Amino acid sequence: MSLDEIFEHFVLHSQIFKDRERLLPDYVPEELPHRKQQIIALARILAPALAGSRPSNVFIYGLTGTGKTAVTKHVVRKLSEKAQEKVVFAYVNCRQNDTSYRVMAELARELGVKVPFTGLATSEVYKRFAEALDRRGRMMVAVLDEVDHLVKKNGDDVLYFLTRINEQLSRSRLSLIGITNDLKFTEFLDSRVKSSLCEEELVFPPYTAKELEDILQQRAAEAFQDGVLAPEVIPACAAIAAKQNGDCRLALDLLLKAADLAEREGASKVTLEHVKQAQREIEKNVTVDVIKSMPLHVKMVLIAVYLLEKEGARNLTTGMIYNKYMEIAKMLGMDPVTQRRVSDIINELDMAGIVNARVVSLGRYGRTKVIRLSASLKSIEEGLQEDLFMLGVTELVAR
Ligand SMILES: Nc1ncnc2c1ncn2[C@@H]1O[C@H](COP(=O)(O)OP(=O)(O)OP(=O)(O)O)[C@@H](O)[C@H]1O
Ligand SMILES: [Mg+2]
């Protein structure tokens, strides 16, 4: 088959999908089952904007994948249809825009003010934004999603400015919706910022397995051809995600990956086996990402464990790992960290589920810690690949 034929085939003859888009993370469905309470609460808080009075600021929090972004976008979309020109809405993702400058530039853009990518003093951007907003003579509702990223990187200056801006406006008003999945986030805030941002609070509890099933059923009805899902598929995806703090994103991701696997195999049905395979892939990807983002010395300790196991060593002790780590450090011409630090690193790797460290009793010789890899070799190799290559130790691993 030519590439064109493959693509054509996918579009025209998918045995599995009716509309694959409906399972993608950014798609906001018309219906959001099990979030009625949060939708109504948020709508009630924001409704005064329609009558020209400033809604309270809202702070929304809940674990990842509990529908915070979806619900907020849904309510804002409905409200902006009603409000038409009366209210200006802005949505900024503060993970993608994680500096004061960029957040303010995004908000200003929503008012039709162009701010260059860099070059202005942040105070100048603040000023231009406030002037533009007042000139508009409108209510503005600004959503700052994943706001913890901004504050951790840049402090709470923006929030301080935005929560007090109404004092300097005469013709306009601003309301804020802050969203985070970091339940400890408010500890980072100045108490004045905190009390104004949290005029109202909305909590999104984790979804239960049953709730996730309902959500998946509804998205599946839009996304799949009739009858292609084996009956165990949705309950399995829901059960796995329910164990991971009720994360709906994970549930959808599993369902989509399972279906993609089935499609790629040319199977006519998505089965439990596809879900299991999808789960393994997702877990592997998470491990790979964790490893890729580790600091160099942590990676070197992991390489030490990896090489020892490859050489057939078992019941690894901290001492053995430290010696191997020293060899690697020497080979790379790096200053090694202390054995104490290596021992801490082993604990960190244990917490991250990459190695398993267990204290065993040696009878009258006391106790010792034995360590082994717990993530799959494949994910470890993939996670370390780039560094090994860069450091020129690929041959070591291949050995
Ligand atoms: N009640 C629901 N009905 C249908 N889909 C939902 C529902 N809740 C969440 N989803 C879907 O699950 C995925 C994750 O939801 P969302 O992005 O809103 O999570 P979040 O709470 O913002 O997570 P994070 O804190 O990681 O940003 C999205 O694809 C969203 O459309
Ligand atoms: Mg979100």
Side-chain angles (χ1 to χ4, degrees):
M1 263 201 231
S2 72
L3 273 187
D4 269 348
E5 278 166 344
I6 291 173
F7 296 148
E8 286 284 302
H9 182 83
F10 194 92
V11 176
L12 297 176
H13 307 288
S14 174
Q15 298 202 56
I16 303 284
F17 293 108
K18 191 161 67 192
D19 186 354
R20 186 176 176 277
E21 290 268 313
R22 306 283 174 114
L23 291 176
L24 296 181
D26 293 339
Y27 173 74
V28 181
E30 264 305 307
E31 297 282 321
L32 296 162
H34 301 293
R35 280 299 176 244
K36 206 170 186 179
Q37 205 187 326
Q38 285 76 12
I39 290 172
I40 289 176
L42 186 58
R44 286 222 169 100
I45 295 169
L46 298 180
L50 295 173
S53 96
R54 184 184 82 82
S56 301
N57 294 332
V58 199
F59 184 59
I60 295 178
Y61 59 100
L63 295 174
T64 192
T66 52
K68 302 179 297 297
T69 301
V71 163
T72 305
K73 284 189 168 169
H74 174 78
V75 173
V76 163
R77 186 168 70 193
K78 292 280 171 203
L79 198 66
S80 65
E81 283 165 17
K82 271 261 181 306
Q84 310 221 327
E85 299 293 293
K86 278 187 284 186
V87 186
V88 183
F89 290 95
Y91 173 90
V92 183
N93 181 301
C94 302
R95 184 150 50 110
Q96 284 146 14
N97 300 284
D98 62 357
T99 63
S100 319
Y101 190 95
R102 298 203 41 194
V103 169
M104 291 312 301
E106 286 293 307
L107 293 178
R109 201 161 54 97
E110 216 55 59
L111 294 170
V113 179
K114 285 215 184 74
V115 174
F117 205 64
T118 55
L120 297 179
T122 312
S123 57
E124 175 62 24
V125 189
Y126 282 140
K127 190 165 141 262
R128 290 192 189 179
F129 172 76
E131 283 168 3
L133 180 55
D134 220 19
R135 238 180 290 127
R136 264 298 181 92
R138 292 266 189 284
M139 182 69 74
M140 180 172 195
V141 175
V143 181
L144 301 179
D145 201 354
E146 309 195 42
V147 64
D148 50 301
H149 285 267
L150 167 69
V151 173
K152 278 174 209 158
K153 178 154 176 210
N154 232 244
D156 58 6
D157 287 6
V158 181
L159 294 179
Y160 192 78
F161 170 77
L162 292 174
T163 50
R164 327 208 95 209
I165 192 172
N166 290 311
E167 295 165 10
Q168 45 167 309
L169 298 175
S170 52
R171 305 177 55 231
S172 301
R173 289 284 173 270
L174 176 74
S175 287
L176 291 176
I177 303 178
I179 306 178
T180 183
N181 58 26
D182 178 350
L183 307 187
K184 290 208 193 114
F185 167 68
T186 52
E187 289 172 14
F188 289 89
L189 298 177
D190 173 283
S191 61
R192 279 166 301 181
V193 172
K194 184 174 161 185
S195 62
S196 35
L197 183 60
C198 306
E199 285 172 340
E200 298 275 356
E201 290 185 344
L202 276 184
V203 184
F204 281 55
Y207 292 116
T208 63
K210 186 73 198 59
E211 289 171 340
L212 289 170
E213 268 187 47
D214 293 341
I215 294 171
L216 291 183
Q217 287 294 2
Q218 175 247 9
R219 304 268 305 239
E222 298 179 13
F224 293 114
Q225 306 277 9
D226 290 339
V228 296
L229 297 187
E232 320 81 75
V233 166
I234 285 183
C237 295
I240 295 165
K243 280 199 205 112
Q244 294 285 329
N245 302 314
D247 178 352
C248 188
R249 185 177 300 113
L250 174 61
L252 285 165
D253 201 19
L254 276 164
L255 185 58
L256 178 61
K257 279 224 164 61
D260 278 342
L261 288 166
E263 173 94 3
R264 236 172 282 152
E265 275 175 11
S268 58
K269 259 185 176 302
V270 187
T271 64
L272 187 58
E273 203 32 63
H274 293 124
V275 176
K276 287 183 180 156
Q277 210 179 324
Q279 184 186 13
R280 282 192 294 271
E281 255 180 45
I282 291 173
E283 276 167 7
K284 190 186 113 206
N285 290 345
V286 170
T287 310
V288 170
D289 288 347
V290 168
I291 294 175
K292 280 188 178 160
S293 66
M294 292 186 317
L296 185 57
H297 283 278
V298 180
K299 282 180 178 158
M300 284 160 61
V301 172
L302 181 59
I303 294 172
V305 179
Y306 172 85
L307 292 176
L308 285 165
E309 288 214 352
K310 275 239 143 166
E311 290 164 11
R314 291 293 172 263
N315 294 329
L316 307 180
T317 61
T318 308
M320 289 159 77
I321 295 171
Y322 185 66
N323 290 339
K324 194 75 182 175
Y325 161 84
M326 292 289 278
E327 261 180 49
I328 296 169
K330 195 165 162 209
M331 204 176 75
L332 299 175
M334 309 253 321
D335 284 335
V337 299
T338 61
Q339 177 155 354
R340 183 63 225 262
R341 175 71 192 121
V342 167
S343 172
D344 288 342
I345 290 176
I346 291 169
N347 288 337
E348 287 165 26
L349 290 169
D350 185 19
M351 299 271 282
I354 294 169
V355 306
N356 176 291
R358 188 162 56 89
V359 176
V360 295
S361 163
L362 301 176
R364 61 198 177 90
Y365 299 104
R367 281 138 48 95
T368 188
K369 202 190 294 182
V370 296
I371 296 121
R372 61 179 170 74
L373 289 176
S374 65
S376 74
L377 279 183
K378 221 169 153 206
S379 52
I380 290 173
E381 282 162 2
E382 215 175 300
L384 290 172
Q385 203 175 25
E386 285 162 29
D387 300 272
L388 295 173
F389 183 72
M390 212 170 63
L391 298 168
V393 282
T394 6
E395 339 57 272
L396 247 181
V397 175
R399 208 164 59 188

